[in-house]
Amino acid sequence: MIRAATAQDVPSIADLFFRSMPSPWKTSDIESVISSPTMTAWVLEENKIIKCAILLQVCMDEAEILSIATDPSERRKGFARTLLSYVLRDLGDDVNVFLEVRAKNQGAIAFYESMRFFVYGMRKGYYKSPPDDAILMKLTNI
Ligand SMILES: CC(C)(COP(=O)(O)OP(=O)(O)OC[C@H]1O[C@@H](n2cnc3c(N)ncnc32)[C@H](O)[C@@H]1OP(=O)(O)O)[C@@H](O)C(=O)NCCC(=O)NCCS
């Protein structure tokens, strides 16, 4: 089941991100996303357990994927593909979708490429702790 995240989901999403990323989003940042009018969070759950979560910023005809993570024990089962496909359908065809991803995160880059995103630029030294370049990606509009 895919649904919009609520304030009650914040601890589970924070835990999922903590277990998934080198510098994860803090609980307070996730709370801000859920309460902000320009940001949204969606979760994919099974038996009331969150398997995958995504955070987005949407403004007019532009959207940015802020983060997405699948539970480490549930990877390569299609959860992120299912959730992101749903979110992209919800955004509609006229929205330009962007994201930034760590250059060393080849798994995530491969995932986004499999979802029709392409690399259009790079920001050298953009990330700290650990240091990394940012790869800029955009969804290929149909
Ligand atoms: C990136 C991430 C969200 C993918 O989640 P997932 O649920 O495992 O992805 P899916 O099972 O839906 O994968 C769909 C397709 O993406 C590609 N893909 C996904 N992970 C991949 C990997 N590690 N290496 C290569 N390709 C990958 C494959 O083409 C895959 O299809 P296949 O399994 O049939 O070959 C997950 O690896 C994750 O949580 N990573 C840590 C958090 C992170 O780095 N998030 C991105 C921050 S911007």
Side-chain angles (χ1 to χ4, degrees), residues 52-107:
C52 185
I54 186 169
L55 309 180
L56 296 167
Q57 177 145 37
V58 185
C59 184
M60 313 281 280
D61 62 350
E62 281 197 6
E64 182 182 357
I65 297 175
L66 302 172
S67 203
I68 183 169
T70 297
D71 189 294
S73 63
E74 302 281 7
R75 302 231 171 116
R76 301 304 289 266
K77 295 182 181 176
F79 286 126
R81 181 198 291 128
T82 301
L83 182 57
L84 182 54
S85 300
Y86 179 96
V87 165
L88 294 177
R89 270 197 308 278
D90 182 70
L91 288 171
D93 291 340
D94 298 333
V95 176
N96 292 302
V97 187
F98 298 90
L99 62 88
E100 288 158 8
V101 57
R102 286 176 175 270
K104 293 196 179 86
N105 195 349
Q106 289 297 317

Side-chain angles (χ1 to χ4, degrees), residues 85-136:
S85 300
Y86 179 96
V87 165
L88 294 177
R89 270 197 308 278
D90 182 70
L91 288 171
D93 291 340
D94 298 333
V95 176
N96 292 302
V97 187
F98 298 90
L99 62 88
E100 288 158 8
V101 57
R102 286 176 175 270
K104 293 196 179 86
N105 195 349
Q106 289 297 317
I109 292 169
F111 165 68
Y112 289 126
E113 284 176 336
S114 81
M115 296 294 303
R116 295 191 290 112
F117 283 78
F118 66 91
V119 175
Y120 72 93
M122 187 188 61
R123 288 203 185 104
K124 225 152 169 51
Y126 179 76
Y127 291 107
K128 316 282 176 239
S129 59
D132 205 347
D133 301 330
I135 299 298
L136 311 180

